[in-house]
């Protein structure tokens, strides 16, 4: 009696990524020449667009930040000044530190007030209250309003002579407050207007996340006797981790690129200095200090990268799993 030969077990993969790489190679071999051309075009065109409108201007801005170019004449008029622009910004340009303070204040108000308020409104509207569609549309409406219309609305509220806020507070004569003109209060007045738009955006993001939460989790928590507050913070909120990361990044980016409202009010001066407004004022303003403004833009870009790079890293790690 002869023994039946047994097939040897498959050899283990040389590395953890050998099998996925072999699978991807097999899929590529199944593509026709036309498929490969279409795939290459679909990858190359967006990459080229991003390179031309994002990375090349960014690289040009960084290079210009080391020059004293005033925007007049060709590239032969560009003179290299090293880090002089950065030294001047941090040592002899007072609006820079005021702008840093205002941007940090902007981020703190968005993060501690506007974002929790948007999440709270999303939780309320997720309970299918009567007429919730009306409240949802009303809260989201500021997000879709044009900047001109939003500025006009808040001008009617903050106007010193005929504004609604002074009338409601009963301020008359010399007691009336110039909410946009007084540098001690105008940053807070603009922050209220900016939060008015930010709350609606955050509410919509959290509302979409809450709709995807498994109802069985809430029912299990209720059967265990958990209150609605504990159910939200112990069960629902952890499942919203991807939404929380997106909201955090959006809040940081919105705080750093805040520009429109302060520029409409007084072009980012007299207490409303922001980094984005300083960049615009120096590059396209009467001074036409392209190199100096590019240095401020580079600083703003570096601050944004502190938050964006970890976010992109976490996204790439999630995709590899």
């Amino acid at each position: 009696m002869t023994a039946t030969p047994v097939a040897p077990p498959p050899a283990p993969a040389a590395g953890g990524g050998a099998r996925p790489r072999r699978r991807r190679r097999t899929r590529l071999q199944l593509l026709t020449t036309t498929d490969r051309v279409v795939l290459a075009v679909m990858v190359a065109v967006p990459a080229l667009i991003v390179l031309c409108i994002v990375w090349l201007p960014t690289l040009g801005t960084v290079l210009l930040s080391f020059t004293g170019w005033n925007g007049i004449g060709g590239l032969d008029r560009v003179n290299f000044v090293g880090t002089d622009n950065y030294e001047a910004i941090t040592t002899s340009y007072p609006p820079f530190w005021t702008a840093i303070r205002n941007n940090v204040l902007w981020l703190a108000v968005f993060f501690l007030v506007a974002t929790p308020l948007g999440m709270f409104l999303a939780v309320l509207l997720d309970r299918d209250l009567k007429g919730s569609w009306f409240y949802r549309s009303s809260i989201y409406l500021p997000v879709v309003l044009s900047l001109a219309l939003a500025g006009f609305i808040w001008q009617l509220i903050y106007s010193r002579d005929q504004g609604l806020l002074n009338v409601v507070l009963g301020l008359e004569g010399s007691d009336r407050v110039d909410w946009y003109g007084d540098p001690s209060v105008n940053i807070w007045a603009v922050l209220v207007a900016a939060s008015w738009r930010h709350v609606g955006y955050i509410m919509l993001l959290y509302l979409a996340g809450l709709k995807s939460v498994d109802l069985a989790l809430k029912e299990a928590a209720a059967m265990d006797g958990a209150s609605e507050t504990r159910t939200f913070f112990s069960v629902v909120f952890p499942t919203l981790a991807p939404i929380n990361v997106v909201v955090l990044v959006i809040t940081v980016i919105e705080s750093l690129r805040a520009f429109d409202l302060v520029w409409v009010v007084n072009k980012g001066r007299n207490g409303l200095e922001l980094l984005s407004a300083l960049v615009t004022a120096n590059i396209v303003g009467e001074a036409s200090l392209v190199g100096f403004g590019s240095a401020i833009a580079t600083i703003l870009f570096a601050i944004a990268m502190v938050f964006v790079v970890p976010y992109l890293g976490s996204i790439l790690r999630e995709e590899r799993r």
Side-chain angles (χ1 to χ4, degrees):
M1 182 177 181
T2 59
T4 305
V6 179
R19 187 169 299 174
R21 284 198 297 270
R22 190 181 304 119
R23 194 178 299 125
R24 285 195 295 269
R25 195 181 305 120
T26 304
R27 284 201 295 263
L28 288 175
Q29 291 173 348
L30 295 176
L31 296 177
T32 64
T33 302
T34 304
D35 293 336
R36 293 182 183 182
V37 171
V38 172
L39 184 61
V41 171
M42 292 178 64
V43 173
V45 172
L48 186 61
I49 293 175
V50 172
L51 178 67
C52 291
I53 68 175
V54 176
W55 290 112
L56 287 181
T58 301
L59 179 61
T61 301
V62 174
L63 294 177
L64 285 175
S65 69
F66 296 101
T67 70
W69 193 41
N70 59 6
I72 300 176
L75 295 178
D76 57 330
R77 302 284 301 273
V78 175
N79 58 321
F80 183 73
V81 297
T83 59
D84 288 356
N85 287 329
Y86 292 96
E87 293 179 5
I89 289 171
T90 54
T91 58
S92 59
Y93 189 55
F96 173 73
W97 294 110
T98 305
I100 290 287
R101 184 198 64 190
N102 288 341
N103 274 105
V104 172
L105 182 63
W106 204 287
L107 174 62
V109 170
F110 269 22
F111 187 72
L112 299 176
V113 179
T115 298
L117 181 58
M119 183 173 62
F120 176 71
L121 293 174
V123 173
L124 288 181
L125 295 176
D126 185 53
R127 304 175 68 176
D128 293 331
L129 301 174
K130 185 176 182 181
S132 60
W133 63 270
F134 172 77
Y135 299 115
R136 195 179 308 160
S137 304
S138 301
I139 297 171
Y140 187 70
L141 184 62
V143 182
V144 300
L145 288 179
S146 67
L147 172 63
L149 183 56
F152 178 71
I153 292 173
W154 285 101
Q155 182 64 36
L156 293 177
I157 297 174
Y158 287 142
S159 173
R160 180 181 183 277
D161 298 325
Q162 301 167 342
L164 175 64
L165 187 55
N166 282 334
V167 174
V168 171
L169 296 177
L171 301 177
E172 298 180 352
S174 59
D175 293 334
R176 287 180 295 191
V177 178
D178 187 359
W179 298 99
Y180 273 162
D182 189 345
S184 64
V185 298
N186 55 7
I187 185 63
W188 297 103
V190 172
L191 279 172
V192 171
S195 299
W196 181 59
R197 301 177 66 187
H198 189 68
V199 165
Y201 191 25
I202 298 301
M203 178 209 68
L204 193 67
L205 290 175
Y206 273 114
L207 198 56
L210 289 171
K211 294 297 182 186
S212 62
V213 175
D214 190 355
L215 292 178
L217 295 175
K218 297 180 181 179
E219 295 171 355
M223 292 179 64
D224 290 340
S227 63
E228 291 192 14
T229 303
R230 183 166 185 182
T231 299
F232 176 77
F233 285 106
S234 300
V235 178
V236 177
F237 191 73
T239 64
L240 298 175
I243 301 295
N244 293 331
V245 174
V246 172
V247 168
L248 176 62
V249 173
I250 288 176
T251 300
V252 172
I253 292 176
E254 288 289 324
S255 302
L256 292 177
R257 73 185 188 97
F259 168 77
D260 43 14
L261 282 174
V262 299
W263 193 259
V264 168
V265 173
N266 62 5
K267 297 187 183 300
R269 295 181 294 225
N270 193 31
L272 293 182
E273 291 84 355
L274 292 176
L275 289 176
S276 56
L278 295 184
V279 172
T280 305
N282 281 281
I283 292 180
V284 302
E286 296 178 357
S288 189
L289 300 174
V290 177
F292 192 82
S294 297
I296 301 176
T298 302
I299 294 174
L300 182 59
F301 174 74
I303 296 174
M305 287 299 102
V306 172
F307 299 94
V308 172
V309 169
Y311 169 70
L312 293 178
S314 65
I315 294 296
L316 292 176
R317 285 193 295 271
E318 288 292 331
E319 291 182 350
R320 289 172 183 168
R321 292 177 183 173

